Amino acid sequence: MPVLPSWLSEPLWEQFAALLPKRPVFDPGHPLGCHRRRVGDRVVFDKLLQLLRFGCSYQAIADATCSATTIRARRDEWIRLGVFARLKQLALEAYDRMVGLVLGEIAVDGCITKAPGGGEVAGRSPVDRGKQGLKRSGLVDGYGIPLGRILAGANHHDSPLLAPTLDLLTALGPLPEEITVHLDAGYDSAGTRTLLGERRLHGQIARKGEKAPIQAGGRWHVERTHAWQNAFHRLARCHERRAKVIDALFDLADAIITVRSLIRRVWTTHRWHTRPHHRL
């Protein structure tokens, strides 16, 4: 059974392949003019999707078609080229063009996941008996499309991460004149309100000590997005130690989430030759 359905994996691969540089099948620097054939980029891309979705190790998904060393080397090459970040940006641009990002209503919240191997952005988790954990401060639009995230150790509070998270808005181009930021009670402080006021943002912040259903505000969108991201088991239990690798995996997951939402939402308004035969 494939990791992703073909209606989702094929457009992702076509756009990803368009971002890759042309490489010869054989190494031109070999003295005899021959060498082992280069493993196809599509093979490595599919292996990375398996790694991201199932959360297994590189050795577990390696086989006769591709070794664990090749997967890591090609992953690092693509990170240096900025392919993962560019794929996510193109997915956002396509979604904004065809559906439209709801930037007048955004939500920010933190999410703590396990990081058994530690690493550059891991820290002692206050909710997991001091074990190593990873916190991401996620930014989403009014529908829940992931716009970016800030990585930190699990021992960091949400409030200090709010400012760098909101800084991610500058990369989105023109913004609405009025933006409402939906936050949970963890951000209920004078410092948060001052920060939002300095940036001319309206804050809808849950009050500490007051019970209210999560649907009372718009912050449930970011909670749903965290659930979408945690469905990729490599993110829910992160064994990567380098921040740039974790960011690359998040960019790939966010691109998948964005393209999936795009296809589902335009199914009734657009027609294309690979359009799924039934509503998703």
Side-chain angles (χ1 to χ4, degrees):
M1 183 176 181
V3 179
L4 299 176
S6 60
W7 58 262
L8 179 56
S9 61
E10 290 305 320
L12 277 169
W13 164 246
E14 289 178 6
Q15 184 59 75
F16 192 86
L19 299 173
L20 298 178
K22 299 298 182 181
R23 301 292 191 194
V25 178
F26 296 100
D27 183 6
H30 195 274
L32 299 179
C34 61
H35 198 264
R36 287 189 302 175
R37 184 182 293 270
R38 175 182 169 88
V39 176
D41 289 329
R42 179 61 188 271
V43 175
V44 181
F45 181 75
D46 288 341
K47 293 293 184 184
L48 284 177
L49 291 181
Q50 295 175 28
L51 177 85
L52 182 64
R53 179 65 180 86
F54 300 134
C56 52
S57 67
Y58 290 92
Q59 289 77 12
I61 62 172
D63 53 24
T65 63
C66 186
S67 68
T69 301
T70 299
I71 299 173
R72 292 193 189 94
R74 201 73 58 86
R75 175 205 66 192
D76 292 342
E77 176 188 346
W78 292 343
I79 291 174
R80 288 193 301 271
L81 295 173
V83 178
F84 295 104
R86 183 58 180 153
L87 178 68
K88 178 205 166 188
Q89 184 62 32
L90 289 174
L92 278 177
E93 291 174 359
Y95 184 94
D96 191 27
R97 184 171 61 253
M98 300 180 70
V99 178
L101 292 170
V102 186
L103 297 179
E105 304 282 338
I106 63 174
V108 178
D109 195 16
C111 178
I112 295 177
T113 55
K114 294 179 179 292
E120 296 176 351
V121 288
R124 290 173 58 86
S125 176
V127 296
D128 194 19
R129 296 171 293 172
K131 296 180 180 180
Q132 291 294 297
L134 172 71
K135 170 169 282 190
R136 63 178 183 269
S137 177
L139 173 69
V140 305
D141 80 332
Y143 180 76
I145 299 301
L147 304 176
R149 97 293 310 172
I150 296 296
L151 301 177
N155 54 330
H156 285 70
H157 194 271
D158 289 344
S159 293
L161 300 176
L162 179 59
T165 304
L166 293 176
D167 289 340
L168 300 173
L169 289 172
T170 58
L172 299 176
L175 298 173
E177 293 184 0
E178 295 188 0
I179 299 177
T180 300
V181 184
H182 298 269
L183 303 167
D184 66 14
Y187 299 90
D188 185 17
S189 67
T192 297
R193 292 181 173 83
T194 300
L195 172 66
L196 296 177
E198 292 173 348
R199 296 169 181 253
R200 298 181 180 178
L201 301 173
H202 302 286
Q204 185 171 350
I205 309 173
R207 295 284 183 175
K208 293 180 180 178
E210 296 182 7
K211 295 183 179 180
I214 195 171
Q215 291 85 356
R219 65 185 186 278
W220 69 272
H221 290 289
V222 69
E223 301 290 352
R224 181 178 64 174
T225 303
H226 284 320
W228 286 342
Q229 293 171 331
N230 288 338
F232 298 96
H233 293 177
R234 193 70 178 185
L235 303 180
R237 189 178 180 87
C238 182
H239 291 270
E240 304 290 351
R241 297 183 58 84
R242 292 183 293 164
K244 63 180 181 181
V245 176
I246 301 173
D247 265 323
L249 293 178
F250 267 106
D251 285 340
L252 180 57
D254 289 352
I256 294 172
I257 292 170
T258 303
V259 174
R260 181 177 62 193
S261 299
L262 171 62
I263 294 175
R264 286 175 174 174
R265 299 194 68 183
V266 303
W267 189 86
T268 57
T269 59
H270 292 71
R271 297 291 183 271
W272 63 97
H273 68 282
T274 57
R275 176 175 175 269
H277 296 295
H278 57 86
R279 189 165 187 173
L280 307 169

